[in-house]
Amino acid sequence: MPLEGRIRLVAASLMLLHPFLSNRSAVEAADRPNILLILVDDLKPVLGCYGDSLAITGGIDKLAARGMRFDLAYANQAVCAPSRFNLMLGSLSTSTGMYGLGVNLREQFPNAVTLPQHFKKHGGYRTISIGKVFHVGHGNLGDPQSFDRVHKDKVIEYVLSASRETEISKEEVFFELSHLSADQRREFLKGKNIGRGAAIEMAEVADDAYADGRTAQRTIEYLKKFESSGQPFVLCAGFARPHLPFSAPKKYFDMHPLEKFSLPEVRDAPEGSPPFALRSKGVEVRNYFPFNERFDDEAFQKEIIRGYYASTSYVSAQIEKVLDALDETGLSKNTYVVLWGDHGWHLGTHNRFSKHDNFEQPTRIPLIIAGPGIKPGSVTRQLASTVDIYPTLAELAGLPAPDGPQPIDGISLKPVLNDPDARIRDHITHCYPKSKFGWAIRNQRYRLVQWGDPAEPAKCVYELYDFQADPVEKVNIAQRHPDVVAALRAKFALYPQPVLSNAKSRNTKNRSADPIQHVKPSGNAPMIADRPLTITGRVESLKGDGVIVAQGGREQGYAVHILDGRLAFDIRVNGKVSRVVAKDLTPKAFDLGATLTVKRIALFVNGRKVGEAPSPGLIPVQPKDGMSIGRDELSAAGNYTAPNPLQGRVAKLKVSPGEQVKPFPKPINNDRLDE
């Protein structure tokens, strides 16, 4: 055989024997495109390139001019940790059951292959995480095994002493102590007062005084290294602003005079919307001053809007530095750049400053993709969602399509990147679990939100919004257009039934919508940090276990629940649960009491003390998860699997921080579960 033929034969044999070579496509390893994934926290499309006349975002606008802007891109869930799981797994929250902040990926999917792992496995890529990529904090540890190197930086950051009420702020405890064990956190916080931090900080400092400036610098350093090495890379650069607090150098605030801002047109909940559609207006922001004191002050709300725009200008300037470095190194010729916001934010719409719901403002996101073969300055109205990014980048890089083992729900947007008028789907889906499970379908004209048990759609409550007639969601028109509701509701059948707990399997017993009507919480979740607690209430028709009341999640909180037929009280302090359980089985109907003091935790049934234990101390930090009655939404406050719905009815419930309720109600009957 001639030498040339023998060489071809050896090469073919190597292709069959070597798993890396056998898996690669027509794109040769040496020519693999690089991936620069820019993640921006809480970023909605208030950007110049999206037509916002108030925005000053030259860096992001420059990227849009290079590539394709998706005008109808949506988060799959409007909260940080789950949205980043959606991105890195290509999986919907409804497919994984990972809805909360305190859920760790490897506890649910130990063998999951994340986006960077897929690129390393099939393309030999070097994978780097800089800044906020996975959500780290609130009991979530991120996923270090996804990357060759991880460089975390701060999310909550102040440079001025006046920006904290005390030595350390509550949000810093949530975010910045995650690298410590529970014992180390307790030791670190010993003797320290924990208070609020400022919602806004403007300081005469350089860009790198805050984390996003440092993230840009480190990203640039890596680009220079990759210029020399020639190794293909997945470089994830995560920017923290415009997530609260709006901490940024003063020069970015100076770009935005306060008088140019006005409040949104829509100040109330949509007409005809269910009461649970909007999250309590105090969620998240109450840990920053002076939100509690001035929330409804219109002058203060304008300051918050200005802070968001200033923070966005700051981040855009850092992104511009990175893009300039990409050009200077020559890497831009063979690099796909993706800019993605993990979810949006209410900037005063419906009198809210938050994410955490299914409306347009928190769910619509910026998505820009630029790189080889993508027409500069192109725009598409193809509906896209976060889960599509993973399979899209894999196809652009010539890698095999992701196949799990986690569910893969996204589809590749490459046909749209080739032709902005191409259409690959007619809707997207997103969700948000509250007292009822909210599951949404969004097409180009409408959004339908179904609230209740997905297995029983006839019993659900619906919202329908027409974005042609009502782009700011003023009126729920579901009852006026049953035909539209029916057509959109049929889209849910295209998806598996949502996983309605954080369990690893699809647990059909833990349905989110409970037909039992529990007493409703009155007002916002109580402020419980550093306060003794007294909880009183009444439970009727008890048939089994479940949560009576819970507030908080994987780091801080409490839960009163039924465990093996007995009343239990869990206190979670810095991730560790202390528990007291009644000795006797609980009656089918009873009045309950639970108390937490510095020294003791105690339980009462029908006015009689049934359990007592040493106290772990008062709950040191206000939990981010709100209060739930009859179940535990989001992450579990107690030592059980959420949502753990009560097999019974909560008829009365009162949580009294900082005061003692006495005496407990007298016994009504002595019916027991075993009689």
Side-chain angles (χ1 to χ4, degrees):
M1 179 183 292
L3 177 62
E4 183 179 347
R6 289 198 300 271
I7 292 173
R8 282 200 299 267
L9 180 60
V10 170
S13 300
L14 287 171
M15 289 288 286
L16 291 172
L17 293 172
H18 195 292
F20 168 66
L21 293 172
S22 64
N23 282 332
R24 72 186 193 181
S25 68
V27 180
E28 293 297 323
D31 299 323
R32 294 250 187 242
N34 306 305
I35 306 297
L36 174 59
L37 180 55
I38 299 171
L39 308 86
V40 189
D41 209 352
D42 283 19
L43 182 66
K44 62 191 296 181
V46 290
L47 304 168
C49 57
Y50 276 86
D52 191 305
S53 60
L54 301 179
I56 302 174
T57 51
I60 296 174
D61 299 346
K62 179 185 291 187
L63 179 62
R66 297 180 174 190
M68 179 174 288
R69 184 187 82 216
F70 286 78
D71 278 357
L72 294 174
Y74 291 87
N76 300 116
Q77 189 182 346
V79 66
C80 297
S83 183
R84 290 160 191 264
F85 289 147
N86 300 148
L87 173 72
M88 290 297 180
L89 294 174
S91 308
L92 296 167
S93 300
T94 49
S95 295
T96 65
M98 296 193 293
Y99 303 108
L101 291 175
V103 181
N104 282 292
L105 187 159
R106 298 295 165 179
E107 293 176 2
Q108 310 302 316
F109 294 95
N111 300 315
V113 177
T114 62
L115 185 158
Q117 287 178 309
H118 186 79
F119 274 71
K120 186 173 185 66
K121 176 181 178 181
H122 294 287
Y125 280 72
R126 180 82 168 155
T127 58
I128 307 295
S129 170
I130 303 172
K132 184 177 179 182
V133 177
F134 280 96
H135 181 92
V136 178
H138 304 90
N140 195 306
L141 304 177
D143 191 47
Q145 70 189 70
S146 283
F147 300 96
D148 294 317
R149 293 293 302 274
V150 175
H151 301 276
K152 183 187 178 299
D153 211 318
K154 293 182 178 180
V155 176
I156 311 301
E157 187 171 19
Y158 300 107
V159 299
L160 304 177
S161 59
S163 295
R164 295 184 185 88
E165 291 179 325
T166 54
E167 300 159 88
I168 188 169
S169 72
K170 297 176 181 180
E171 289 289 324
E172 286 174 298
V173 172
F174 283 136
F175 277 99
E176 308 308 337
L177 304 184
S178 59
H179 62 290
L180 302 178
S181 69
D183 289 340
Q184 289 172 327
R185 282 196 297 272
R186 279 193 292 273
E187 185 63 27
F188 178 82
L189 293 171
K190 186 182 295 183
K192 291 184 173 68
N193 293 316
I194 302 172
R196 295 178 299 170
I200 299 170
E201 179 181 89
M202 57 180 91
E204 294 276 11
V205 294
D207 287 359
D208 62 0
Y210 295 110
D212 288 342
R214 299 188 295 271
T215 291
Q217 286 182 349
R218 184 162 271 154
T219 303
I220 292 168
E221 291 168 5
Y222 267 102
L223 290 174
K224 292 177 180 178
K225 291 178 182 178
F226 286 126
E227 177 191 13
S228 302
S229 71
Q231 184 177 13
F233 60 82
V234 173
L235 181 53
C236 299
F239 293 90
R241 304 280 85 78
H243 189 289
L244 280 167
F246 301 140
S247 299
K250 184 176 180 294
K251 64 183 178 182
Y252 296 102
F253 285 85
D254 293 341
M255 294 177 181
H256 298 280
L258 184 61
E259 56 268 20
K260 83 177 186 180
F261 295 103
S262 58
L263 298 180
E265 172 189 355
V266 181
R267 304 291 290 152
D268 300 312
E271 178 185 330
S273 63
F276 38 77
L278 280 169
R279 192 90 185 262
S280 166
K281 67 183 182 182
V283 169
E284 184 177 21
V285 299
R286 65 187 170 213
N287 286 335
Y288 300 93
F289 67 81
F291 263 108
N292 289 345
E293 298 85 351
R294 297 183 62 193
F295 189 100
D296 292 313
D297 179 341
E298 293 189 355
F300 172 65
Q301 292 191 354
K302 290 179 184 178
E303 292 175 23
I304 290 298
I305 295 171
R306 179 197 187 200
Y308 187 96
Y309 274 82
S311 296
T312 302
S313 293
Y314 167 54
V315 164
S316 177
Q318 309 320 302
I319 291 170
E320 185 167 19
K321 295 173 187 177
V322 172
L323 296 177
D324 288 346
L326 193 69
D327 289 339
E328 292 166 6
T329 58
L331 292 170
S332 57
K333 298 175 183 178
N334 193 36
T335 299
Y336 286 103
V337 183
V338 178
L339 180 133
W340 168 80
D342 61 351
H343 46 70
W345 215 64
H346 282 293
L347 266 180
T349 47
H350 309 302
N351 200 27
R352 295 297 189 274
F353 291 88
S354 63
K355 50 258 191 183
H356 305 125
D357 62 45
N358 280 313
F359 286 100
E360 185 80 353
Q361 296 303 313
T363 56
R364 184 169 173 243
I365 59 173
L367 176 61
I368 301 169
I369 304 178
I374 299 174
K375 183 179 179 181
S378 54
V379 179
T380 183
R381 288 185 61 79
Q382 168 60 58
L383 287 142
S385 72
T386 295
V387 293
D388 298 331
I389 294 173
Y390 185 171
T392 300
L393 291 178
E395 185 173 5
L396 288 173
L399 302 181
D403 59 359
Q406 75 273 15
I408 302 296
D409 297 308
I411 58 177
S412 174
L413 299 170
K414 187 178 179 183
V416 183
L417 295 171
N418 293 333
D419 176 6
D421 294 323
R423 293 295 176 260
I424 57 176
R425 64 150 70 90
D426 64 2
H427 72 281
I428 59 93
T429 180
H430 59 84
C431 72
Y432 203 89
K434 298 191 179 186
S435 58
K436 294 182 183 293
F437 188 85
W439 195 14
I441 296 291
R442 175 66 156 96
N443 66 15
Q444 286 207 359
R445 179 169 180 177
Y446 296 102
R447 171 181 284 106
L448 178 76
V449 185
Q450 173 183 274
W451 291 100
D453 188 339
E456 299 184 90
K459 296 181 180 179
C460 290
V461 175
Y462 290 91
E463 293 178 274
L464 179 68
Y465 298 97
D466 182 349
F467 289 90
Q468 285 185 10
D470 180 19
V472 289
E473 296 173 300
K474 289 182 179 179
V475 183
N476 174 17
I477 58 171
Q479 292 189 348
R480 303 181 199 173
H481 297 281
D483 54 334
V484 179
V485 171
L488 291 176
R489 191 171 73 183
K491 303 287 187 185
F492 289 124
L494 300 173
Y495 301 91
Q497 283 289 299
V499 179
L500 297 184
S501 76
N502 286 331
K504 296 179 182 178
S505 62
R506 296 175 181 266
N507 188 341
T508 57
K509 294 181 181 179
N510 285 336
R511 292 297 180 188
S512 180
D514 195 332
I516 297 172
Q517 296 299 308
H518 301 290
V519 64
K520 301 298 182 185
S522 57
N524 295 335
M527 302 300 290
I528 63 173
D530 296 318
R531 301 185 186 187
L533 294 178
T534 301
I535 302 167
T536 58
R538 178 165 176 79
V539 173
E540 298 175 346
S541 305
L542 188 65
K543 297 179 181 178
D545 294 351
V547 170
I548 298 169
V549 61
Q551 182 179 352
R554 292 285 293 271
E555 284 293 299
Q556 318 287 345
Y558 67 85
V560 180
H561 58 110
I562 304 296
L563 175 67
D564 297 328
R566 293 167 172 81
L567 189 64
F569 188 23
D570 289 6
I571 304 294
R572 190 183 290 271
V573 174
N574 297 326
K576 184 177 180 180
V577 173
S578 299
R579 169 178 286 171
V580 59
V581 182
K583 296 179 181 179
D584 299 325
L585 293 173
T586 306
K588 294 178 182 177
F590 65 97
D591 297 305
L592 68 91
T595 59
L596 165 68
T597 67
V598 173
K599 295 184 177 181
R600 308 295 289 174
I601 52 177
L603 277 174
F604 300 80
V605 171
N606 292 331
R608 180 172 63 90
K609 185 183 289 186
V610 294
E612 190 174 31
S615 172
L618 303 182
I619 295 167
V621 178
Q622 181 68 18
K624 183 161 285 190
D625 288 2
M627 187 173 78
S628 304
I629 296 177
R631 60 192 305 106
D632 189 349
E633 301 295 340
L634 302 181
S635 57
N639 194 11
Y640 46 72
T641 299
N644 194 17
L646 181 68
Q647 298 178 52
R649 174 175 173 266
V650 182
K652 296 180 181 179
L653 200 288
K654 182 178 181 181
V655 177
S656 303
E659 64 183 66
Q660 186 176 6
V661 178
K662 61 180 183 181
F664 289 115
K666 294 181 179 180
I668 292 178
N669 62 52
N670 289 312
D671 292 340
R672 304 176 76 87
L673 286 173
D674 56 349
E675 293 179 345

